Amino acid sequence: MSAPRRYQGIMTATPTPLDAAGEILADAVREHVESQIRAGITGIVPAGGTGEFPSLSEAQRVRMVELTVEAAAGRVPVIAGVLHPGLADATRAASTYLSIGADAVMVVTPFYYRPTQAGIVEYFRRLADKVDGDLVLYEIPYRTGVSLLPETVAAIVEHTRTVAMKACNPDLSQQMRVVEAVGRSIAILTGEEAVFPLHIAMGAVGGMLAGSNIFPHAWTKILRLARGGDLQAAGDLHSRLQPATDALYAEPNPAPLKAAMELLGMPAGPVLAPMLPASTGCIERLRLVLPAAMAIERACEAEAPVTRAAA
């Protein structure tokens, strides 16, 4: 399988489960990765934004990637997040995660300085010169303040070992132009759950999602319907899931997600400073919307074929 084709489908951006002292819950990581693979998820993305990369220590990031690689056991790709703003730290982290078994690294656009488009191309070229592994571009301008023009993406793809892009730009016209520029060369994966069917209709081949931690079968079905051309059915299912999706993003991710997982008996633990735990109002909102959403998930699970055997 070619590298771009390997990075398709629903890939889950996992949270980092922690105990009260901030230590990673190793068993919870293993169990969650196993349940995701059983559900047919096609990749695991640890230590990204949902995994609280900026708040974790480097030792915690390494441990989270190690545990995920161990649990995945080669059955699906593991794409480790690299959310450093500087080239030296990003290069060192990417090389470390690849050396301990990650299949690829998801590298965010350099932020804080808000560099020029030429500066961004040079950044990724220099990183690629020093990192021996698959790269996934990560564009999320409402977090970084930096957007990637289609021609910038094309230049990065031309000069680096880029296999995919996590596109979190809500500008649909720009997303369309990115697909037109590089969609035949790399896998475009949406991170925008709110407009997921539209991104698939425009040419994205999957998504890197936080919601699939809880609703892997539902998101997989939405993808299957959208890629099969049944946008009406995909939109209907997406709309039915939307109240839960909205609740998961009612406060900064991953606090509501971790709260929802705890409500469902999935160990996730607290968030790290400067994040605050989900508010009482958010938790009550989750209590109201999760039962209906979980009924949707169970119905989608009942319809789903068995896609992958457990280890």
Side-chain angles (χ1 to χ4, degrees), residues 79-101:
I79 305 97
V82 177
L83 276 61
H84 288 297
L87 181 62
D89 284 340
T91 300
R92 183 165 49 250
S95 297
T96 297
Y97 306 157
L98 290 165
S99 72
I100 59 177

Side-chain angles (χ1 to χ4, degrees), residues 27 61 110 225 235 288:
D27 286 345
R61 297 175 192 133
L225 290 169
L288 287 173

Side-chain angles (χ1 to χ4, degrees), residues 113-129:
Y113 292 108
R114 300 196 178 190
T116 64
Q117 297 293 297
I120 294 170
V121 173
E122 180 64 16
Y123 176 90
F124 279 103
R125 288 183 65 170
R126 291 175 64 182
L127 185 143
D129 285 344

Side-chain angles (χ1 to χ4, degrees), residues 188-279:
I188 305 297
L189 300 160
T190 180
E192 290 296 305
E193 295 179 26
V195 292
F196 182 90
L198 295 177
H199 279 184
I200 301 303
M202 291 190 300
V205 296
M208 289 183 170
L209 310 179
S212 55
N213 283 284
I214 300 175
F215 311 118
H217 293 98
W219 280 110
T220 297
K221 184 174 180 180
I222 294 170
L223 173 62
R224 184 170 67 249
L225 290 169
R227 293 197 73 181
D230 194 346
L231 292 177
Q232 181 66 55
D236 288 346
L237 181 54
H238 181 266
S239 178
R240 291 168 57 207
L241 199 64
Q242 195 66 46
T245 301
D246 288 345
L248 289 176
Y249 293 98
E251 294 176 2
N253 182 47
L257 172 64
K258 283 193 162 185
M261 292 175 70
E262 290 285 347
L263 288 172
L264 296 169
M266 305 163 68
V271 291
L272 297 170
M275 299 284 290
L276 291 175
S279 67

Side-chain angles (χ1 to χ4, degrees), residues 158-179:
E158 180 181 358
H159 296 293
T160 66
R161 188 171 156 182
T162 297
V163 296
M165 176 179 178
K166 180 178 181 180
C168 291
N169 193 325
D171 183 337
L172 296 181
S173 65
Q174 178 151 320
Q175 291 291 12
M176 176 66 89
R177 291 188 293 127
V178 168
V179 171

